[in-house]
């Protein structure tokens, strides 16, 4: 039988995987649909028109926004997958559970300030699981 800390860590990690994959799916759906309301079209046009030069490369704000969004979904899903796969080894390392709990808490704080309810809920679940994994060891 697996220890409770391992199961809790895996549930937290799976929550990250699901959140990252949902984020990627929603991003893909939004990329594929045309902007219909006039206000949305105007905002997207302004984002395309505003260019930033960083380290010699020029990028529009919309491309940066979409790139960061895709990167965030990938990192969350893939780091969660690594934690799921390595859970038996990681369960013995309280530092990893503490780091995951801290990262999840930071993501929860960001979600509460900037995101809609679904990531707020999933980050609450992940934070609770990683935090509980620390307590039950």
């Amino acid at each position: 039988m697996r220890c409770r800390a391992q199961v809790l860590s895996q549930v937290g990690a799976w929550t990250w995987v699901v959140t990252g994959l949902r984020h990627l799916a929603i991003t893909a759906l939004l990329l594929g649909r045309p902007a219909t309301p006039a206000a949305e079209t105007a905002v997207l046009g302004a984002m395309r028109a505003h260019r930033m030069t960083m380290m010699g490369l020029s990028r529009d704000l919309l491309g940066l926004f979409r790139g960061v969004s895709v990167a965030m979904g990938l990192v969350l899903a893939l780091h969660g997958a690594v934690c799921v796969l390595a859970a038996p080894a990681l369960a013995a390392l309280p530092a990893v559970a503490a780091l995951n709990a801290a990262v999840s808490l930071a993501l929860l704080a960001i979600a509460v300030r900037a995101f809609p309810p679904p990531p707020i809920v999933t980050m609450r679940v992940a934070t609770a699981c990683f935090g509980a994994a620390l307590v039950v060891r």
Side-chain angles (χ1 to χ4, degrees):
M1 182 171 149
R2 295 182 296 182
C3 71
R4 271 195 240 164
Q6 180 182 340
V7 171
L8 287 164
S9 291
Q10 282 186 304
V11 172
W14 272 113
T15 303
W16 281 357
V17 170
V18 168
T19 304
L21 292 177
R22 281 187 50 202
H23 183 81
L24 288 170
I26 289 168
T27 300
L29 288 173
L30 291 177
L31 286 174
R33 75 171 176 82
T36 49
E40 186 177 343
T41 303
V43 168
L44 294 177
M47 289 176 79
R48 279 187 198 96
H50 183 75
R51 299 198 66 81
M52 298 175 64
T53 301
M54 297 177 293
M55 304 173 103
L57 296 174
S58 179
R59 302 286 187 254
D60 67 73
L61 194 55
L62 183 59
L64 286 170
F65 175 78
R66 288 177 173 165
V68 168
S69 185
V70 169
M72 197 275 289
L74 274 174
V75 167
L76 193 59
L78 294 176
H79 181 70
V82 167
C83 288
V84 167
L85 294 172
L90 297 180
L93 302 171
V96 174
L99 178 63
N100 285 345
V103 168
S104 212
L105 184 60
L107 291 172
L108 173 59
I110 293 166
V112 166
R113 298 272 307 158
F115 300 147
I120 295 170
V121 171
T122 58
M123 288 305 103
R124 277 186 182 158
V125 170
T127 301
C129 288
F130 290 126
L134 279 171
V135 172
V136 300
R137 2 190 115 256

